[in-house]
Amino acid sequence: MDYFLELFLGGLTRGSIYALIALGYTMVYGIIELINFAHGEIYMIGAFTALIVISVLTMMGMNTIAILVIAGFIAVIYSCAYGYTVEKIAYKPLRRAPRLSALISAIGMSLFLQNYVLLAQTSDFLPFPNLIPDFTFMEPYAHIISSAEVVILITTTIVMILLTVLIKFTKMGKAMRATSQDKDMARLVGIDVDRVISVTFVLGSATAAIGGVLIASHVGMINFYIGFIAGIKAFVAAVLGGIGSIPGAVLGSFVLGWTESFATGYVSSDYEDVFAFVFLVLILIFRPAGILGRTEKHTV
Amino acid sequence: MIKFSEIKKSLWVSLWFMFLTFPVMVIRVNTIENVIEWRWENMIFIGVGSFLFSFVWRYLLKQKEYGLKRAEEGGDIRPSLAQRILRDRKIFAPALTVVGIFALLFPYVFSLYQTNIMISALIFVMLGLGLNIVVGLAGLLDLGYVAFYAVGAYAYALLNYHFGLSFWILLPVGGALGMLFGILLGFPVLRLRGDYLAIVTLGFGEIIRLILENWNEFSFGPSGISNIPRPSFFGMSLSVHDSTIFIYYIMIALCIFTIFVVNRLQDSRIGRAWIALREDEVACQAMGIDKAKTKLTAFALGATWAGMGGVMFAAKTTFVNPASFTIWESIIILCIVVLGGMGSVVGVIIGALILILLPEYLRAFSEYRMLMFGILLVVMMVFRPGGIVSDVRRIYKFEGSGGAGKDA
Amino acid sequence: MPSLEHPVILDVRGLGMNFGGLRALDNVDIDVREKEIVALIGPNGAGKTTFFNCITGLYEPTDGEVIISPPGRKSEKINGLKPNIVTAKGLSRTFQNIRLFQNMTVLENVMIGRHCRTSSGIVGAILKGPATRSEEKAIVRDSYAILEKIGLDESVNEFAKNLPYGEQRRLEIARALATEPFLLLLDEPAAGMNPQETLELDDLIRRIRDEESISILLIEHDMKLVMSLSDRIFVVDYGRKIAQGAPGEIKNNPAVIKAYLGEDVDA
């Protein structure tokens, strides 16, 4: 039973990390119907920035909690800046181009960012310090869930709540929803669509950066390639939940997290990464709209 | 004359990029020795580089908008230099002859090393032309193309290892297996829209690679299979030198065969259906074209060439392992199609030669290869989505009314 | 005007279409007879294009039946069939927002229309034997003949995207004709045309009916064109049929006038 619980909570943690990244995919897709291939790289850059800041601050002799907060903050700022810039360079000039062009441009951006970090930093795995202390009150449960996992779950929940509030109740949120319904109409009623798109990229990048810092500190090492697999899995989660739907992305992430956790726990860990892909193919064949997605009505 | 406002804009861009690249480009942490390396010189490079580059970027964007406006106003669009050369028989025929003679004499003029590089380039020409059917003509973004390449390579390696079958039998078998896998993958993904298709095919490519890596009993795992025989010449086995030259000529023949087939297909009933599918799926179906069947044929035919390319690869290197079939190979092939011009045979050939030969001869910059490919994809899509040689459609000439069609 | 003696070739009974909770079409009955020009009119959002999409297989109708009786063939139910099968059975359409193959030439656009009436496959294309050659020649010849009839033979080698708007609309008709339909469905063929082009369109549609014996069902907002062309008119509003009859009857129908109130009724 404990083993089951451990896998269950492990899956939950995994799922919440996927959710933080999947949100970016789903929000961008909801607004401009583009798979932002470079999103995984934004997450990776968030983790790298955090690692660099942490190393600098540690050498300056700061205490760990302060380091975690500052590093997280700077990572979010930088990821947002990258997300914003990527949109301006690789997607904005292609707003009216065929979808295939934007998609290829996105792949190019992803390839560029990976190699940019590879060349400027290193191709090796770098150790990422575990900054989340083991809380003493968690000790009785340590065999089931670690303190780090608790922190991840709590942070994810807070981020989700903030995001929901932002989209449901603010003026920007309303503009985002309007834009995702009909871009031309939104423009006609005076919404600055370009700004809405930029904000969407920035928001998605921010959640991805939070995810990046949390998972890096949980797993304990990073390299330039972590964004690729994490990005694909988060995308699978977004599709599973119904791409374009925010609650769908969260639900899809948990389902994927549990599937992977149980499959590697009970079946085999050799094919860990295969599960996500097989899952993806199955969903797309049997329920392309995802769990919470609306069936698309193509306009003719 | 450059305006002051332009300079100001570029200064901001330059400052922004210096900020953006600061942590990654300037600071490098050595976590083992716990020292920080500050590389301020990089910041200067970035600052100056982005300052200058922003002028170029804006200039190109303006040019592009100007071009779009002119096209919208119905002004005549000047055919590009490449298009004019292709249309003009007087230039095209002698050029083709020169290229042909050069290709035939290549192994005798240049060293074995150069010939080997050329063989790789020709394999990629073939792969590019195959992917061009799927991406360029039918408009289906396939990011797992390398999987079919792997199928071909492993088909030769394994069937030869277990059953001792020869290259000449396995070359068509590799193509057929590629086609079979193309159909196998094609069926489930037929209903998917473009962007989902990209991800699923990418996933398929990775699954094949992971299986090859983990299923030791079947594929010998990460260590791969070595001592694959080179092709025999009428039953005689050749020395390394001779067989390299022989493989070179096989590749030339295969490339000519591919070009011939792709050319024929492009101007056929099926080829037109592919292009219509790329242009507008809904209208294509409404005009009586079976979407599923058309997609499937594109997938299957594209995969056939990857399968044969795989056999050639295994025969050339005499060694295969999963590391040769990563997603990056798929992306390089995609770059070839995009750079050359989606849908254009000549473009794809030029694209393959540039992208495979250039990095070989610029060894000093080889680590920047993938970085450059990334930039290339973005820049091509933003400024020249048609590629170097954009798709040239066939011209029909009619004499009088109702006269039978004759092509130019 | 063709008499009501002519046989019915398209019979739509009780057609209904739901999108989630939205009832886009409700119990619509429409029929078209041989050699007849029928118009489907109604305010924006009344469900006219949805009706076309249901008939041509782009949507599968939630309920009701679509039955065709092509001249000289047996009647059959076609709802739920794929769009390409419907086209092969002789229903062909144009689109409200032009959907040409932009980067193909004018001739090639029409050649695509011949696809479902020809048969050469991959092997044929590669070997290019005599059968394929003569089929290919026939495709080019037939397509060119259609373009001549439509008056686009001057621009066969132009890219479709470079044609002026009115010519793009006519090219869509040419492409649809190439599939050899017995019923042609035109979705707002006069949209965006100037008065002169509309007049030519009026003439073209009549010629298609008279010379090719093709029946026509069209959606149109230009009331002058509708009144001049149609033998019969069906009016839909909020997904329901509210009136049907000859142009004279429709003009004075109170329900129709009410549906159009506030809209421009220049009939």
Side-chain angles (χ1 to χ4, degrees), chain A residues 29 78 82 120-121 285, chain B residues 19 24 27-28 39 191 193:
Chain A
Y29 193 91
Y78 266 96
Y82 272 94
Q121 294 288 323
I285 294 166
Chain B
F19 159 75
V24 174
I27 309 171
R28 177 149 63 189
R39 299 168 296 176
R191 297 191 305 171
R193 271 215 331 264

Side-chain angles (χ1 to χ4, degrees), chain A residues 197-214:
Chain A
I197 293 173
S198 289
V199 170
T200 311
F201 270 87
V202 166
L203 274 179
S205 305
T207 56
I210 295 170
V213 176
L214 288 175

Side-chain angles (χ1 to χ4, degrees), chain A residues 90-136:
Chain A
Y91 307 145
K92 191 165 175 251
L94 293 169
R95 207 62 56 74
R96 283 185 300 165
R99 258 172 127 99
L100 190 64
S101 305
L103 205 56
I104 291 175
S105 180
I107 293 167
M109 227 353 155
S110 160
L111 191 60
F112 170 79
L113 288 175
Q114 271 182 31
N115 283 279
Y116 155 74
V117 172
L118 164 72
L119 292 171
Q121 294 288 323
T122 171
S123 62
D124 302 329
F125 269 101
L126 293 176
F128 197 103
N130 182 11
L131 296 165
I132 304 166
D134 284 324
F135 305 118
T136 40

Side-chain angles (χ1 to χ4, degrees), chain A residues 62-282:
Chain A
M62 220 179 257
N63 74 19
T64 45
I65 294 290
I67 288 178
L68 183 66
V69 172
I70 295 173
F73 184 70
I74 294 181
V76 168
I77 301 262
Y78 266 96
S79 283
C80 292
Y82 272 94
Y84 174 85
T85 313
V86 164
E87 195 271 327
K88 284 279 173 286
I89 292 177
Y91 307 145
K92 191 165 175 251
L94 293 169
R95 207 62 56 74
R96 283 185 300 165
R99 258 172 127 99
L100 190 64
S101 305
L103 205 56
I104 291 175
S105 180
I107 293 167
M109 227 353 155
S110 160
L111 191 60
F112 170 79
L113 288 175
Q114 271 182 31
N115 283 279
Y116 155 74
V117 172
L118 164 72
L119 292 171
Q121 294 288 323
T122 171
S123 62
D124 302 329
F125 269 101
L126 293 176
F128 197 103
N130 182 11
L131 296 165
I132 304 166
D134 284 324
F135 305 118
T136 40
F137 64 85
M138 283 298 299
E139 251 160 45
Y141 313 102
H143 60 295
I144 301 171
I145 185 166
S146 70
S147 301
E149 286 178 316
V150 174
V151 172
I152 290 174
L153 285 175
I154 292 171
T155 317
T156 314
T157 316
I158 294 172
V159 170
M160 302 286 161
I161 293 171
L162 284 178
L163 202 64
T164 314
V165 170
L166 189 132
I167 287 171
K168 279 243 157 86
F169 302 108
T170 63
K171 210 173 155 207
M172 192 23 111
K174 213 185 251 174
M176 282 169 72
R177 280 181 288 150
T179 309
S180 76
Q181 289 287 323
D182 189 332
K183 254 199 301 262
D184 296 326
M185 207 56 205
R187 195 171 277 130
L188 280 180
V189 297
I191 292 172
D192 184 347
V193 171
D194 282 337
R195 199 166 147 252
V196 170
I197 293 173
S198 289
V199 170
T200 311
F201 270 87
V202 166
L203 274 179
S205 305
T207 56
I210 295 170
V213 176
L214 288 175
I215 190 122
S217 129
H218 182 50
V219 172
M221 52 187 187
I222 59 173
N223 79 344
F224 72 99
Y225 200 59
I226 55 167
F228 181 71
I229 286 289
I232 286 189
K233 288 189 181 168
F235 175 78
V236 172
V239 173
L240 176 58
I243 197 148
S245 148
I246 289 177
V250 177
L251 184 64
S253 301
F254 286 137
V255 172
L256 182 66
W258 281 319
T259 311
E260 281 191 352
S261 185
F262 287 124
T264 48
Y266 287 121
V267 187
S268 151
S269 61
D270 274 0
Y271 290 94
E272 188 187 336
D273 295 336
V274 175
F275 292 122
F277 291 125
V278 172
F279 214 12
L280 175 72
V281 175
L282 292 179

Side-chain angles (χ1 to χ4, degrees), chain B residues 83-104:
Chain B
Q83 280 172 338
R84 269 177 288 167
I85 290 174
L86 287 180
R87 277 194 188 153
D88 195 341
R89 282 259 158 116
K90 267 186 218 124
I91 310 173
F92 187 59
L96 194 67
T97 321
V98 170
V99 171
I101 292 171
F102 178 77
L104 282 180

